Amino acid sequence: MPPPRVYKTEAIVLRQRKLGEADKIITLYTPNYGKLEAVAKGVRRPKSRLAGHLEVLTYTSAMLAQGRNLDVVTQAQAVEVFASLREDLHRLSRALYTAELVDRFSPEGAEGYHIFQLLLATLRRLAEGAGADVVVRYFEMQLLNLAGFQPQLHHCLGCQRSLAPVPNCFSPAAGGVLCPSCGSGAVSSRPLSVSGLKVMRLLQKGGFGDVLRVRIGQTLAQEVEFHLRAYLIHVLERDVRSAAFIDRLRREGVVEPAGVAD
Ligand SMILES: [Zn+2]
């Protein structure tokens, strides 16, 4: 549904880029209108009243007016700035990664209530100090669910049989799990341990509280991260085509906190 001529919306700021001398184009994620781009005029001037309310990762309440090309932010009031996140580079880099992933997965104008709530909950969890890796893995799997790209974790995508509780294989190209006989030699297929599959199922279907209750050792955490990353890269390459972001995922796993203040 297109927004009215002047409208108020809650939003999380995903990204900013410079426009002209003093303005910025702000990428917002909103519950009712999904992803929006809007111009924030004069925000690069030192006395701008808007600037502090439109920083990347801020949960803000904004007033927008429809413009000829892009909408214009006329007012903004920060609701949550997640100050503790900004003091910790480790958490900040993960928060920026989640915002970037939402940006890459969301076409402009698609309704985004559930993705908005997921991103907001994720930023709060990261700010409150919950285990950052678990928070991000849960976010990745839930975002895949909401965007319609959930990997198949219950039957073999080769022979369609239910998966036995034995080491199976995970194949991003197949879209999920393959049994040992279908998986051996299949393209991009990697071993998936019994515990790895259990954790991935929990990330997909469980609540965040359920995930927190499970003790996940380092090797298992790395295995799950490896499979989810490979799957995200595959989906982004095939369906979203986000080359620069994929390169960065490949190189370092999380984005660098550059661009927060620019
Ligand atoms: Zn099979």
Side-chain angles (χ1 to χ4, degrees), residues 156 158-160 179 181-182:
C156 168
C159 64
Q160 309 301 324
C179 73
S181 51
C182 296

Side-chain angles (χ1 to χ4, degrees), residues 15 28 35 38 63 93 101 139 145 168 182 209 254:
R15 194 155 63 94
L28 299 168
K35 188 167 83 174
M63 218 41 181
S93 64
L101 212 50
F139 166 83
N145 284 352
N168 287 287
C182 296
V254 290

Side-chain angles (χ1 to χ4, degrees), residues 19-40:
L19 176 72
E21 287 285 299
D23 305 342
K24 279 182 179 176
I25 295 175
I26 312 281
T27 306
L28 299 168
Y29 201 85
T30 70
N32 293 328
Y33 314 115
K35 188 167 83 174
L36 284 179
E37 291 207 314
V39 176

Side-chain angles (χ1 to χ4, degrees), residues 51-105:
H53 303 280
L54 293 172
E55 290 290 332
V56 171
L57 301 177
T58 300
Y59 170 24
T60 197
S61 174
M63 218 41 181
L64 289 98
Q66 272 191 23
R68 236 171 304 165
N69 298 311
L70 289 173
D71 294 358
V72 176
V73 181
T74 56
Q75 289 174 42
Q77 176 65 52
V79 180
E80 287 178 57
V81 297
F82 306 108
S84 59
L85 250 182
R86 295 169 201 278
E87 290 155 11
D88 180 343
L89 226 56
H90 180 70
R91 288 176 187 282
L92 180 61
S93 64
R94 279 158 177 78
L96 289 168
Y97 165 75
T98 61
E100 192 158 1
L101 212 50
V102 166
D103 189 15
R104 303 295 160 156
F105 265 103

